[in-house]
Each structure stands twice: as C-alpha cells, then as structure tokens.
Amino acid sequence: MNTVLSLFLFAVAIAWFEYRLKGINKESDRDQKGAFDFFATKEELKKAVKRLTEKADEAHTALSERMTSLEEKAFFAQEEKKAAAQEPQAPKAEPDPRVIFFRWPADDGTFADAQRLVSQTEDTYYRFQLDDTRTRAEFLFVTVSDTQLSKANNSSKKYIERVCNFTGEKSTRYTCTPGKAHLERGRWVVDQKARIEYR
C-alpha cells in the first residue's frame, strides 16, 4: 500500500512538474515573442525616421536650389538694369523744322503761326510742309484715328470746309491732295484749298 501511494504521489509530482515546465516555456515563448515584436517595432521606427529624414533633406535641397535660382535671377536683373542705365541712350530724333501741325483753321480760314505744333496728335488736323524760305507751304488734312476723322466729318464746317473742298460721301477712308498757303503777318493764308476725296 505504501508503495502504491508513493508511486501515485510520484506520478502527481511528475505531472505537476511537467505542467509547471510547460507554463514556464509558454511564458518564455511569450517573452521572446514580445521581445521580437519590440525589436521589430524598433526597426520599423528606425526605417520610418530614416525615410522622413531623407524626405526632409530632399525638401531642404529643393528649397535651397529654388532660393539660389531666385537670388541669381534677382542679381542678373539688377545687373541688366545697371548695364542699361550705363548704356548711352540713342538721341531722340529731332522733329523736322520744315514740318508743322495745326489743330484747325480760324473762322476766316487762316492758321495762326503762333499756334503751330511740332508733332501730330489726336487734336491736330493739318500738316504743313514748309519750303526753304519758310514762308510758303503745302498742307494736307491728316488724321490719326477713325474717331478723330469722325469728329471732323461731324463738324465739317469747322474742321474741313474752311480750307478744303471734298468729294464723295463722308467716310473713314479718304485721300487728300495738298493745298497751298503762305505766311503773312504771322498767319498762314490759304492760296489754294486742299482736296479731300472720300472712298
């Protein structure tokens, strides 16, 4: 009886020992797995940090290149301005002293020489080409835009008929045959009217 009891207790002890050993192994496996997970996570974090660092470096490099490019453009633009300022400017062409312009004739069909202009504008209607004596000239009715011509056509008595004859229906297309005038006591007196042909 004692032997059977001893064997039974011995079997129980072995079973308990095996059970305990399995428990220890499971804990060990769990610990190892946890350690493995920890190390795997650590490696992933390292890789992620490395990727972020590389992207940050790329962005920094691109920004540096962009800034350098902008600085270079600004520098060269400044240099071009300096060079342009130092280049001798071509002199402006002097107006031909034998060509003068007038706005429109006075009521008596003359032009006051004191009101002559040296360039054509939207407000001048007559171009005088002076001869060598500067006392005689041929003149033309001239306009620079359809708006200006329409204004003259609408007020023909003021702008046209005092010093020009015209043929055809008034329009925005015309040719002009020169008239003749001479300078007398500070006024240009018309000797022969110009002729406007509307087309």
Side-chain angles (χ1 to χ4, degrees), residues 63-81:
L63 182 61
S64 295
E65 289 173 357
R66 177 76 177 143
M67 290 299 291
T68 301
S69 173
L70 289 173
E71 287 170 0
E72 287 175 356
K73 284 180 182 175
F75 172 77
F76 287 121
Q78 191 68 23
E79 290 300 308
E80 284 177 6
K81 282 183 183 176

Side-chain angles (χ1 to χ4, degrees), residues 96-113:
D96 186 342
R98 292 176 302 168
V99 177
I100 58 176
F101 297 88
F102 291 98
R103 290 187 169 90
W104 53 83
D107 291 345
D108 62 357
T110 63
F111 297 88
D113 191 56

Side-chain angles (χ1 to χ4, degrees), residues 46-60:
K46 280 183 180 177
K47 288 178 184 176
V49 168
K50 185 178 179 184
R51 283 195 299 270
L52 286 172
T53 304
E54 288 172 354
K55 285 183 181 178
D57 288 343
E58 287 173 7
H60 182 265

